[in-house]
Amino acid sequence: MTAGTGAAVRIDVVSIFPTYFDGLTLSLLGKAQSTGILDLSVRDLRDWTSDRHRTVDDTPYGGGAGMVMKPEPWGLALDELTSTTPPHSGERPTIIFPSPAGEVFTQATARDLSTREHLIFGCGRYEGIDERVFEYASSLGEVRLLSLGDYVLNGGEVATMAMIEAIGRLIPGVVGNPESLVEESHEDGLLEYPSYTKPSMWRDRAVPDVLLSGNHKLIATWRRDQQLERTRTRRPDLLDDAS
Ligand code: 6GU
């Protein structure tokens, strides 16, 4: 069944725009689904409505702009999806609500979540989801409100796609060469060093001599220096975090 050790990681996504997630069948994550490493299902929130118009939103108590997602479709969706959490180790599901009001999602978050057996992503739209849903979800699993960064998207779909890609590639067996995961930006708290390929001279621009030297120790030192220099100029906040 699985190509790696242990059972498949299960990821459920609930959204009113399930076709957003068609892209997840491509490339590495698509392969992981066909080899059984990843068990991904995308579900339409409207399937848990019972009125003729399949209504998922209503006006906010207290007034104000926009609409709020009604609690009951979310309650039913979470009941159903958590009732079938794979029982491998008795672990509770992790229920993620992407939200610009959440904690920032980082590589460390991705690493943590890649070790879970069952992730559920609830994609909010409009002005958000009735607050009681988060409280109720806490009775069913570990709830995380996660943001991609300090800007606003129209809903949780694009954020969920980004998070699933970041988490999914850390699941053992998803990325063919695990060495390639180690040398990337953010894995060691620094930005990645620059890369070059043939030709060694392109439009009057040369590849740095050291990379053609064959001296592996010198190359490693140069790459480390490049990482530090780039991080200092582009992302000094990362160096503050490391100290
Ligand atoms: Cl997770 N959701 C929305 N709607 N906007 C965002 C975000 C999430 N992260 C950054 N902006």
Side-chain angles (χ1 to χ4, degrees):
M1 188 193 75
T2 45
T5 52
V9 174
R10 178 166 154 204
I11 301 181
D12 291 308
V13 177
V14 181
S15 164
I16 58 168
F17 297 117
T19 56
Y20 251 105
F21 298 91
D22 288 355
L24 293 178
T25 61
L26 302 170
S27 189
L28 290 176
L29 290 184
K31 176 107 187 296
Q33 289 169 75
S34 47
T35 58
I37 297 173
L38 178 64
D39 171 14
L40 174 72
S41 350
V42 181
R43 306 288 300 271
D44 189 337
L45 178 68
R46 295 190 201 274
D47 291 349
W48 288 282
T49 58
S50 45
D51 64 308
R52 200 162 60 83
H53 295 107
R54 312 222 297 163
T55 310
V56 293
D57 61 327
D58 207 336
T59 53
Y61 276 120
M67 299 290 270
V68 175
M69 290 187 117
K70 294 159 62 66
E72 186 59 3
W74 284 108
L76 291 169
L78 293 171
D79 286 344
E80 181 177 330
L81 297 173
T82 58
S83 72
T84 54
T85 292
H88 320 133
S89 72
E91 185 183 300
R92 296 205 314 161
T94 303
I95 305 169
I96 298 155
F97 293 102
S99 165
E103 317 159 52
V104 175
F105 177 89
T106 65
Q107 189 66 19
T109 320
R111 234 178 282 128
D112 170 16
L113 296 175
S114 72
T115 68
R116 311 286 173 112
E117 290 173 1
H118 187 195
L119 303 175
I120 299 170
F121 286 87
C123 302
R125 280 267 148 182
Y126 314 113
E127 298 310 303
I129 302 173
D130 186 302
E131 190 70 19
R132 293 166 293 183
V133 170
F134 307 121
E135 207 181 292
Y136 178 69
S138 306
S139 71
L140 302 172
E142 180 186 331
V143 172
R144 305 282 297 268
L145 268 68
L146 297 175
S147 168
L148 289 189
D150 295 336
Y151 47 84
V152 179
L153 305 171
N154 286 331
E157 281 77 9
V158 167
T160 293
M161 295 260 278
M163 292 185 216
I164 290 176
E165 187 156 311
I167 294 163
R169 59 199 298 289
L170 297 176
I171 296 170
V174 172
V175 171
N177 176 8
E179 294 252 315
S180 66
L181 295 174
V182 178
E183 297 191 350
E184 288 163 339
S185 293
H186 301 296
E187 267 305 334
D188 57 3
L190 298 174
L191 302 185
E192 196 172 26
Y193 56 75
S195 300
Y196 300 86
T197 188
K198 292 174 278 294
S200 61
M201 182 64 74
W202 176 73
R203 301 196 180 188
D204 286 335
R205 288 159 171 83
V207 169
D209 281 337
V210 60
L211 297 178
L212 309 176
S213 71
N215 184 333
H216 298 294
K217 196 153 176 237
L218 215 57
I219 292 170
T221 305
W222 181 84
R223 285 179 167 165
R224 189 73 184 171
D225 289 346
Q226 289 288 311
Q227 281 193 284
L228 287 165
E229 178 55 20
R230 284 185 153 192
T231 308
R232 196 177 61 75
T233 55
R234 298 178 189 174
R235 291 295 304 279
D237 58 303
L238 295 179
L239 295 173
D240 299 343
D241 290 353
S243 56

